[in-house]
Amino acid sequence: MACPESIYLQRGNHETKNMNRIYGFEGEVKAKYDEKIFDLFLEVFCHLPLATVIEDKVFVTHGGIPVVPVTLDEIKKIKRGCEPPEAGLMSDLLWSDPQPFNGKSPSKRGVGFAFGPDITEAFLAKNDLQLLVRSHEVKEEGYLVEHGGKTITIFSAPNYCDSMGNKGAFIHFAKDCEPKFTQFEAVPHPDVRPMAYAAGMGGLFT
């Protein structure tokens, strides 16, 4: 809200009710504020964009791309204002991951798919794009370039869950849309035990 022309937020798989409970966001907000504030967060999360295109060249989303050919117009038409379904375009954008070999595979997460370099190439070509940028996976160095340079995973949470020891990173795009990476380390954690508010997988069905 302070920089509406400079900061753009997108929805990820953690901006959902179940993941908020499992990973502790719900518990922390309710402990520090109240249930009304948490419900407002949920409402905002449901309306966040699912993807962004930078300079008509770079497609940015949280998880990955659908394994069936789709256009940007089809992605724009995805109904928001709701929790994600278990399958479909929204689920693919929030949950899917790249794999090193061609084709698609069932996701190790149980939601979405794993998509190969051929699927990335087809999606980018169909939509006249050059690059896919996504997050969703911890990377030791904070980022990973794969699919022949067509897919970048960027992960900006160092020492994820206070236990992974990974670096964080972010990308800067100049006008030519060539990615420039900045890596950083975690800072000392506040005096709160890791994942203090998390419900764990036991919170999935409550």
Side-chain angles (χ1 to χ4, degrees):
M1 294 187 334
C3 304
E5 301 299 320
S6 304
I7 298 175
Y8 301 90
L9 301 180
Q10 290 185 179
R11 192 177 194 178
N13 67 305
H14 280 242
E15 283 70 59
T16 58
K17 192 171 185 178
N18 280 339
M19 297 300 282
N20 285 173
R21 180 173 297 123
I22 293 168
Y23 281 86
F25 185 73
E26 177 180 352
E28 184 168 4
V29 171
K30 288 181 177 179
K32 295 179 177 179
Y33 301 99
D34 55 36
E35 187 164 356
K36 182 178 180 180
I37 295 296
F38 176 66
D39 288 342
L40 288 172
F41 271 111
L42 287 182
E43 184 177 353
V44 170
F45 291 163
C46 285
H47 289 276
L48 288 175
L50 300 168
T52 301
V53 175
I54 301 173
E55 295 290 340
D56 296 320
K57 295 178 180 179
V58 182
F59 184 80
V60 184
T61 192
H62 177 75
I65 52 177
V67 293
V68 295
V70 296
T71 64
L72 295 180
D73 283 339
E74 289 174 282
I75 291 173
K76 289 177 184 176
K77 291 176 183 176
I78 296 173
K79 181 183 177 183
R80 289 184 279 164
C82 61
E83 288 296 309
E86 293 186 7
L89 294 185
M90 183 188 290
S91 175
D92 289 347
L93 293 169
L94 296 178
W95 283 97
S96 292
D97 298 295
Q99 65 183 18
F101 47 87
N102 284 342
K104 68 176 183 177
S105 303
S107 173
K108 60 189 177 186
R109 304 173 189 271
V111 187
F113 292 91
F115 58 95
D118 57 327
I119 293 174
T120 298
E121 289 274 3
F123 174 82
L124 296 176
K126 187 177 184 70
N127 292 286
D128 196 24
L129 298 166
Q130 297 178 6
L131 180 65
L132 165 65
V133 175
R134 42 88 63 182
S135 183
H136 197 40
E137 291 181 287
V138 178
K139 297 301 177 186
E140 185 175 353
E141 295 300 314
Y143 72 95
L144 182 67
V145 181
E146 49 195 325
H147 290 182
K150 298 291 187 181
T151 297
I152 296 174
T153 296
I154 190 80
F155 198 82
S156 58
N159 195 27
Y160 184 58
C161 293
D162 303 307
S163 61
M164 299 300 291
N166 61 290
K167 294 178 182 176
F170 63 85
I171 304 175
H172 177 261
F173 287 107
K175 199 68 177 176
D176 61 5
C177 283
E178 286 297 314
K180 303 291 189 298
F181 299 97
T182 299
Q183 297 167 286
F184 53 93
E185 303 278 356
V187 298
H189 194 281
D191 189 21
V192 179
R193 66 178 175 83
M195 303 292 285
Y197 299 97
M201 291 303 292
L204 183 59
F205 304 107
T206 57

